[in-house]
Amino acid sequence: MAENNYSVTNEFILVGFSDHPDLNTLLFLVFFVIYLVTMVGNLGLVVLIYMEHRLHTPMYIFLGNLALMDSCCSCAITPKMLQNFFSVDRRISLYECMVQFYLLCLAETADCFLLAAMAYDRYVAICNPLQYHTMMSKKLCLQMTVGAYIAGNLHSMIHIGFLFRLTFCRSHVIKHFFCDFLPLYRLSCVDPYLNELMILIFAGLIQVFTITVVLVSYLYVLFTIFTMKSKDGRGKTLSTCASHFLSVSIFYGSLLYMYVQPHSFNEGDKDIPVAIFYTVIIPLLNPFIYSLRNKEVINVMKRIMKRFFSNIRKQGPSPLEKRYKAENALF
C-alpha cells in the first residue's frame, strides 16, 4: 500500500456535475424546481390519502406509501446535490455516504414491493371484483406494506454491512452526484467481488420476484380487459393500467440497467444519466402518473378546494377590508 502511495480515507469528494461549471446556476435552478415539485406532489398525496376516508383502500394505501418512499429517495439525494453546485470542496464523510445509500436502497427496494402489491391489487379488483374485499383484506394490505418496509431495511443493512468490509485507498474522488455502491467499489483497495456477488444475488432475486408478480398480474388484467363487453369500461380500465405499467417499466428498466446488466461495475460516470432518471425524475413523475390521471383523487382534491373556498366566503371580509369600505362610504 505504501509503495503505491495509497492512504486510507474516510472522506470523499462528490464530483457530480463539475465538468460543466458554467451550467451550475442553471442546473441548480432546474433540480431545485424538480425537488420542490416532487416533495409537494408526493407529500401532498400522502396527506390527501391520510385525510380523506374514502381513499383508505388498499390501492391508495399502497400509493401513499409509494409517494412516501419517493419523498425519502429525493430527500436522500437532492439536497446534497444542490449544496454541491456551489460548494468548494464537495466533501462527504464515509458515514454520510452510508446514510445516503441506506435511505436510497430502502426507498428503491420498498418501491419494488409496493409496485408489485399495487399490480396484484389491480389484478384482484379487475379479474375478481366480487371477491375483492375477501382477497384484499385490510390485514393483507397491512402485511404487504409492512413487508415492503422490512424487505427494504434488510436489503439496505445487508449491503451496508458488506460495505464496511471494504477499505478505500485508491482515491477519494467519487465520479458521481451521490454515494452509490458501484462508485464506492471502484475506489476500494479490497477486492469487492463478494459485494458485487451480493448485489447480483439479492437485487436480482428482488427484481425477478417483483417483476414476475407485476407481469403475471397485468397479463391477467389485459386478458380480462379484452374480454369485456363494454367499450367504455374497457377503455377506462386499459387507460389506468397503461399508465401504471408505464411507470413500472421505466422504474424497473432503469434499475436493471444500473445494477444487473453485465459490465455495470466498470461504467464510471456513464451511469449518471440513468441514476438521475431513477433517483430524480421517477419520483417527480409518479404523483402525476398515479394521481392526476385518477378521477377519484381529482374529485377529492376538487371537493377539498371547494370546501376551503366556501369556508373563506363564510368568514366574510377581514377587519382591514371592513375599515376600507367604511372609509370609502364616507366619501
Side-chain angles (χ1 to χ4, degrees):
M1 188 178 297
E3 292 176 1
N4 293 303
N5 294 323
Y6 288 162
S7 59
V8 177
T9 181
N10 288 320
E11 198 173 49
F12 305 99
I13 295 176
L14 290 172
V15 174
F17 304 92
S18 60
D19 291 339
H20 308 283
D22 52 321
L23 297 177
N24 276 353
T25 303
L26 176 61
L27 290 174
F28 174 85
L29 292 174
V30 169
F31 284 111
F32 181 69
V33 171
I34 289 175
Y35 179 64
L36 285 181
V37 174
T38 300
M39 297 304 294
V40 170
N42 283 291
L43 293 181
L45 184 59
V46 172
V47 172
L48 185 69
I49 292 172
Y50 176 78
M51 292 178 61
E52 185 60 39
H53 183 73
R54 296 183 183 182
L55 300 181
H56 292 179
T57 61
M59 175 183 173
Y60 294 106
I61 290 172
F62 293 141
L63 179 56
N65 283 278
L66 183 70
L68 187 63
M69 286 295 95
D70 285 341
S71 301
C72 178
C73 179
S74 294
C75 287
I77 302 299
T78 312
K80 187 65 178 178
M81 178 176 64
L82 294 174
Q83 177 188 343
N84 285 343
F85 279 119
F86 299 106
S87 177
V88 178
D89 53 14
R90 306 187 181 206
R91 295 182 183 277
I92 184 170
S93 69
L94 175 62
Y95 294 101
E96 286 178 307
C97 265
M98 296 299 178
V99 171
Q100 194 178 58
F101 165 69
Y102 177 85
L103 292 174
L104 177 65
C105 188
L106 165 65
E108 300 297 346
T109 305
D111 275 359
C112 288
F113 286 97
L114 289 170
L115 288 170
M118 291 174 69
Y120 177 75
D121 175 76
R122 290 301 85 201
Y123 155 73
V124 177
I126 295 171
C127 301
N128 300 283
L130 299 179
Q131 301 177 6
Y132 180 78
H133 293 290
T134 304
M135 296 178 66
M136 280 301 298
S137 62
K138 290 183 178 180
K139 182 179 178 181
L140 179 60
C141 177
L142 179 62
Q143 289 174 343
M144 286 182 169
T145 305
V146 173
Y149 285 109
I150 292 174
N153 277 286
L154 288 176
H155 192 217
S156 302
M157 287 189 287
I158 288 170
H159 292 304
I160 288 290
F162 278 97
L163 276 174
F164 274 113
R165 68 176 282 273
L166 302 180
T167 303
F168 303 99
C169 57
R170 292 183 177 178
S171 172
H172 64 291
V173 177
I174 298 178
K175 295 182 178 180
H176 219 292
F177 61 93
F178 70 96
C179 284
D180 200 4
F181 44 70
L182 299 184
L184 288 174
Y185 291 170
R186 300 175 190 125
L187 305 183
S188 174
C189 53
V190 176
D191 186 3
Y193 170 76
L194 187 59
N195 299 66
E196 296 173 358
L197 183 62
M198 291 299 102
I199 290 180
L200 291 175
I201 291 174
F202 285 101
L205 286 175
I206 289 170
Q207 294 203 32
V208 166
F209 171 74
T210 53
I211 287 174
T212 301
V213 172
V214 169
L215 290 177
V216 171
S217 298
Y218 279 115
L219 282 174
Y220 276 103
V221 166
L222 287 174
F223 178 78
T224 304
I225 289 173
F226 288 121
T227 56
M228 287 181 176
K229 295 181 180 180
S230 171
K231 291 184 179 180
D232 293 336
R234 187 190 310 165
K236 179 182 177 181
T237 309
L238 187 61
S239 175
T240 302
C241 291
S243 61
H244 288 199
F245 193 72
L246 173 64
S247 176
V248 169
S249 301
I250 294 172
F251 177 76
Y252 280 111
S254 58
L255 285 184
L256 287 170
Y257 181 86
M258 278 291 294
Y259 300 120
V260 183
Q261 67 156 337
H263 311 299
S264 64
F265 301 105
N266 300 310
E267 288 297 316
D269 53 1
K270 293 181 181 179
D271 37 339
I272 286 180
V274 182
I276 291 174
F277 202 76
Y278 79 84
T279 59
V280 178
I281 303 301
I282 290 178
L284 170 70
L285 294 177
N286 277 342
F288 296 97
I289 293 175
Y290 289 107
S291 304
L292 296 183
R293 291 178 60 87
N294 190 305
K295 289 185 178 180
E296 191 169 358
V297 174
I298 293 174
N299 290 335
V300 170
M301 292 174 65
K302 288 180 179 178
R303 190 161 56 250
I304 291 175
M305 294 298 292
K306 287 180 180 178
R307 193 185 309 161
F308 174 76
F309 286 114
S310 64
N311 288 336
I312 292 178
R313 293 193 195 99
K314 288 179 182 178
Q315 291 176 359
S318 65
L320 288 175
E321 290 175 331
K322 290 180 180 178
R323 182 180 175 183
Y324 177 76
K325 290 180 179 179
E327 290 176 352
N328 287 340
L330 296 176
F331 296 99

